[in-house]
Each structure stands twice: as structure tokens, then as C-alpha cells.
């Protein structure tokens, strides 16, 4: 019924920028909160940024000042602008969204498959 697809990752040099996108498709009645997670090799999954339906944002301390999350409700898409990339930012970046498929049901949690970001020194 619902699919999340991330894009925009790649291999980049330290100090450069990337913009990640995550688009929801299928039966989407409404999306409440959305967020970006990342998982580096040998480490646990980390929540890096969130955005509510009213565009209230939150960030982990490790990315404040460098990452910006935003959303386009008309396109059912969330973005993550990443600036001043560091080698420690290397990870698989995963999109998460709480999505209503019908107006009478509560939102369910959906995940994308991830996009790889690799930052070289």
C-alpha cells in the first residue's frame, strides 16, 4: 500500500554537501511525523533529524548546524540537506514516516531501504 524510497546518496569528499530525498507513494491519506536515521558500520542506528506535520524540526547534537530537514507535503517528500560532510557521517541513511492510509485509522510506521553516504578524507 505504501512505499518509501530514498535517493541522493553517494561518494563525496569531506567538506562537500548532499541533499537526500525520501518520497512516499501508494495509498497515502496523510503523513504526520517524518525523520532521518543513519547506521554506520558496526554501530547502532541513530536518529539524526525529525520534522512534524507542522514543520517543527529537531536534530541530534552531532548534526546540529550542518544538517537541515524539510518537507514538501504536496509531494509527500522529506529532504535532508547535509553540509560540511565529515568522514564520520559515513553511513546508510534511512527515511522513516508515520503514515495514515485511511482517515479512521491511526498512523503506522514505514521505513525506506536506505541510501549510502560515503565521505572520504
Amino acid at each position: 500500500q505504501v512505499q518509501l524510497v530514498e535517493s541522493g546518496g553517494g561518494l563525496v569528499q569531506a567538506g562537500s554537501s548532499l541533499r537526500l530525498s525520501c518520497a512516499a507513494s501508494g495509498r497515502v491519506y496523510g503523513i504526520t511525523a517524518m525523520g532521518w536515521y543513519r547506521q554506520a558500520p558496526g554501530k547502532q542506528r541513530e536518529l539524526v533529524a525529525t520534522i512534524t506535520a507542522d514543520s517543527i524540526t529537531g536534530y541530534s547534537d552531532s548534526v546540529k548546524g550542518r544538517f537541515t530537514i524539510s518537507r514538501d507535503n504536496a509531494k509527500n517528500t522529506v529532504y535532508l540537506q547535509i553540509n560540511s560532510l565529515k568522514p564520520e557521517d559515513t553511513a546508510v541513511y534511512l527515511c522513516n514516516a508515520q503514515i495514515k492510509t485511511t482517515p479512521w485509522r491511526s498512523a503506522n510506521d514505514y521505513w525506506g531501504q536506505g541510501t549510502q553516504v560515503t565521505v572520504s578524507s
Side-chain angles (χ1 to χ4, degrees), residues 7-13 18 20 85 90-91 93 115-120:
S7 62
L11 174 61
V12 297
Q13 191 176 39
L18 285 172
L20 309 184
L85 277 159
T90 295
Y93 283 73
T115 184
Q116 177 71 47
V117 172
T118 303
V119 185
S120 62

Side-chain angles (χ1 to χ4, degrees), residues 1-9 19-26 28 31 34-37 70 72 75-80 92-97 99 109-116:
Q1 292 287 334
V2 173
Q3 183 179 6
L4 293 177
V5 179
E6 302 99 333
S7 62
R19 190 180 76 157
L20 309 184
S21 299
C22 174
S25 61
V28 179
I31 303 175
M34 305 184 78
W36 286 95
Y37 293 72
S70 61
D72 185 338
K75 296 181 178 180
N76 289 331
T77 300
V78 62
Y79 304 96
L80 187 68
V92 174
Y93 283 73
L94 299 135
C95 175
N96 171 261
I99 301 174
D109 214 46
Y110 292 87
W111 291 87
Q113 295 187 32
T115 184
Q116 177 71 47

